[in-house]
Amino acid sequence: MTASSPIDSANTLALARDTLAIEAQAISAMAARLDSSFVQAVQLALDCRGRLVVTGMGKSGHVGRKIAATLASTGTPAMFVHPAEASHGDLGMITREDLVLAISNSGESEELTAILPLIKRMGVPLLAMTGKSGSSLGRHADLVLDTGVEKEACPHNLAPTASTTAQLAMGDAFAVALLSARGFRPDDFARSHPGGALGRKLLTLVSDVMRPAEQAPCVGLQASLSEMMREISAKGLGATAVVDAAGLPVGIFTDGDLRRLIEGGTDLRAVNAGQVMHRAPRSIRPDALAVEAAELMENHRINSLLVIDAQGRLCGALNSHDLMRAKVI
């Protein structure tokens, strides 16, 4: 295998900068052309009782798949249908309740234009995203989103570059306008992304990550220091709850508290839990979000929390390591 010759660094950077400038200009010009058709398109999607079916061929099809995915994850039921496959049976996926978004820079893609009359015959509203409003696609459409560009970033003005960037940006603008109109919130986003970081933060409850009551360290008010340390060591939380005769948590004692007692010269044999505990310990309910527990720990600079039920009884415990294992923090 022969070694390639060194590239011209100056020319390479110049081409890259020109590409970015051309595509930025294309998006800027498209933004300036936005008019009431965009608002009508958003309203058409809001009024749709079915799904928003995105279709496109070639590079426009790749963009269409991304647009469909973005719409689906932001509150608009959407799917991608390949126009060539639609001609061979997949057109049956589209119902009268749906809205079709067809993407083509030229508006003359054969596979796409072949199914346009059938879509119109079904009475399905057709939204076009094209650079040629007078094309076959543009003429068939109920509404046109103009994604035309002055030129492609390709030096030969051939490869879809600026035009596909414009389509992608218009799709994002459309999705953002729709999610805002729907009142789509972060917790709605989390429900469609349960496996992601945001999903974990917004959907994980304290009950999902806490140590249950039988694993939560707990001693009575009269427990000796050695009893507390055995409980802390056995349960591995780094702290133990201290409960009264009714079983209600009234304090907490941590291994940090032990170090401070030793440093202060306290006679460890002469003290009990009630004398050395921190009163009114921080606690949280099991139905609270785990991210709330993380915020509580951070705000009060503590590493452990007691979990209490509606009656104030100890029903679990957790520390920062539990939250890290669950990837909440």
Side-chain angles (χ1 to χ4, degrees), residues 155-175:
H156 309 298
N157 197 32
L158 294 174
T161 45
S163 59
T164 49
T165 298
Q167 292 168 355
L168 191 61
M170 181 65 81
D172 285 343
F174 188 57

Side-chain angles (χ1 to χ4, degrees), residues 7 12 57 62 98 109 114 159 164 166 168 181 184 262 270 286 311 323:
I7 62 173
T12 298
M57 195 69 193
H62 294 311
D98 296 334
S109 169
T164 49
L168 191 61
F184 195 77
I262 294 173
Q311 287 72 44
L323 297 174

Side-chain angles (χ1 to χ4, degrees), residues 43 68 115 124 134 154 160:
Q43 187 63 58
I115 64 173
V124 178
C154 166

Side-chain angles (χ1 to χ4, degrees), residues 204-211 290 293 317-318 322-323 325-326 328:
T204 303
L205 300 177
V206 168
S207 58
D208 297 324
V209 298
M210 74 180 193
R211 304 171 191 215
L318 77 162
D322 299 322
L323 297 174
R325 276 193 294 270
V328 173

Side-chain angles (χ1 to χ4, degrees), residues 200 204-206 209-211 289-298 303 305 318-329:
R200 285 191 293 272
T204 303
L205 300 177
V206 168
V209 298
M210 74 180 193
R211 304 171 191 215
L289 290 172
V291 69
E292 294 179 46
E295 291 172 358
L296 194 58
M297 289 183 190
E298 182 178 355
N303 294 318
L305 275 177
L318 77 162
N319 64 13
S320 56
H321 295 295
D322 299 322
L323 297 174
M324 284 189 283
R325 276 193 294 270
K327 297 183 180 179
V328 173
I329 57 175

Side-chain angles (χ1 to χ4, degrees), residues 219-231:
V219 298
L221 284 165
Q222 299 305 315
S224 66
L225 193 61
S226 60
E227 289 174 322
M228 286 193 289
M229 295 316 300
R230 280 197 296 271
E231 185 71 358

